[in-house]
Amino acid sequence: MKKNIYYTTTFQRKNPLVEWFTGLFKAFASPSRLLLEGFIRKDFGERYFNLYSVLSLAISLAILPVLFLKIPEWIGGSGLGADPMGISDLGGTTPTYAGSSLTSLFPRYLGWYFFLVAFIGVGVKHHLDMLRNPSVYDFEKFSLCSGTINPLFYKIKIPGIKTDVRLIECLLEPLFFFTIGFVLWFLGQTLGNLIMFCSFCYAMSYIWAYKHGDDFIMDTIDQIIVNQELENSFVNDVSPEDAKGFQSRGKKPEDKEMRRQILNAMIQEEEIIVAK
């Protein structure tokens, strides 16, 4: 395909603020999906769901409750108020949880640690499955494959809405986990808060991925249109109505031959590598 330099420099703009927020969101989206998808999907790519990431995330989440309980002790009881993990009595000399001692961490976090054990077990299972998969170096498997969707989700019907992959990834799968998280939260398990947060990040990450994919397709279509109509608009001064809505902007030489020379510099041939 021809790469249109005029299109990429004139119409494809970047917003640094949006990109910063997107990067910040992606920092939560990746571990959130990793934490949940392994329980409902299979056949992942080896770079998408790997055992090292599973163990790193599990260890980090195992330390997190203890870390929040220790913070009041480290800051010396500065009276900062209750934290989101449910810690109380920050003004005391001994860190407490819900008005009791450090040992009372486990009643509310029992589900948390059982979940992490199950998460590691699921990670090991997927790791062993991937060892039997075809090698990605032989072009037999996409290494960033996000897994196979559980067929039960396709059986969920919403009136007036087609149950396709996009609906499942953006709504049904996250809603499934959010419901589980809500029930756990209602039962007093802090794990519910984690799962509800991760389900939100899960949904938003797929919504953003599909939005990014939509924009890419539209950019590709627009670039094809610009390749087709650039000569008419730039060289022949054809109106936008007769050039599929495209209009070249900017000063240009009066001489059409000079315009054609500039036109040739605006378009570059791109080499596409295809695996045989």
Side-chain angles (χ1 to χ4, degrees):
M1 176 181 172
K2 294 181 179 180
K3 181 180 180 180
N4 196 302
I5 300 176
Y6 178 83
Y7 174 78
T8 55
T9 57
T10 305
F11 291 94
Q12 288 187 318
R13 303 190 180 109
K14 294 184 178 180
N15 189 322
L17 184 61
V18 172
E19 291 182 355
W20 183 84
F21 276 109
T22 301
L24 182 64
F25 174 74
K26 286 182 178 178
F28 292 102
S30 180
S32 296
R33 282 166 57 172
L34 176 67
L35 196 65
L36 302 179
E37 281 181 323
F39 290 96
I40 57 174
R41 294 191 180 192
K42 61 181 181 178
D43 297 329
F44 296 98
E46 63 182 71
R47 286 200 299 163
Y48 185 88
F49 193 100
N50 61 77
L51 189 58
Y52 172 78
S53 298
V54 168
L55 294 176
S56 300
L57 182 58
I59 292 172
S60 300
L61 290 175
I63 296 173
L64 192 62
V66 179
L67 181 64
F68 272 95
L69 285 172
K70 284 294 184 181
I71 287 177
E73 183 179 3
W74 294 339
I75 64 178
S78 59
L80 295 177
D83 68 279
M85 304 298 287
I87 304 167
S88 63
D89 193 19
L90 290 184
T93 57
T94 303
T96 61
Y97 178 75
S100 185
S101 64
L102 187 63
T103 57
S104 64
L105 172 144
F106 290 100
R108 285 173 62 93
Y109 282 92
L110 188 62
W112 181 289
Y113 287 102
F114 272 122
F115 176 78
L116 293 182
V117 172
F119 175 57
I120 294 174
V122 166
V124 171
K125 179 183 180 300
H126 287 304
H127 176 71
L128 295 176
D129 290 341
M130 282 185 282
L131 292 178
R132 295 188 288 268
N133 286 340
S135 172
V136 298
Y137 296 102
D138 295 326
F139 294 89
E140 296 293 334
K141 180 76 173 182
F142 181 46
S143 67
L144 294 175
C145 173
S146 58
T148 304
I149 295 175
N150 192 310
L152 292 177
F153 284 101
Y154 288 102
K155 297 181 179 180
I156 300 175
K157 303 298 180 181
I158 300 178
I161 302 177
K162 180 182 178 181
T163 303
D164 56 9
V165 175
R166 186 167 188 160
L167 180 69
I168 292 172
E169 292 183 328
C170 295
L171 177 64
L172 299 184
E173 287 181 333
L175 184 60
F176 170 75
F177 284 113
F178 186 87
T179 303
I180 293 175
F182 181 81
V183 172
L184 290 171
W185 169 81
F186 184 79
L187 296 175
Q189 288 293 315
T190 311
L191 173 63
N193 298 333
L194 176 66
I195 293 180
M196 285 191 291
F197 173 76
C198 289
S199 65
F200 173 77
C201 293
Y202 189 116
M204 293 305 298
S205 65
Y206 273 115
I207 290 172
W208 178 260
Y210 277 103
K211 174 64 168 58
H212 188 72
D214 292 342
D215 288 340
F216 178 82
I217 297 300
M218 285 189 286
D219 282 337
T220 303
I221 293 172
D222 286 342
Q223 189 167 177
I224 292 173
I225 291 175
V226 174
N227 288 342
Q228 294 172 343
E229 302 297 336
L230 184 59
E231 181 176 359
N232 284 333
S233 179
F234 183 77
V235 178
N236 301 323
D237 292 321
V238 172
S239 66
E241 291 78 9
D242 296 324
K244 298 182 180 180
F246 170 72
Q247 177 182 357
S248 62
R249 293 181 173 87
K251 294 181 179 180
K252 48 193 174 184
E254 293 293 334
D255 182 63
K256 286 192 175 183
E257 187 58 36
M258 290 296 296
R259 294 185 187 182
R260 293 188 187 278
Q261 293 182 26
I262 296 174
L263 176 67
N264 293 332
M266 289 181 178
I267 300 175
Q268 294 180 343
E269 291 286 348
E270 282 190 322
E271 183 180 358
I272 300 176
I273 300 176
V274 180
K276 300 295 185 179

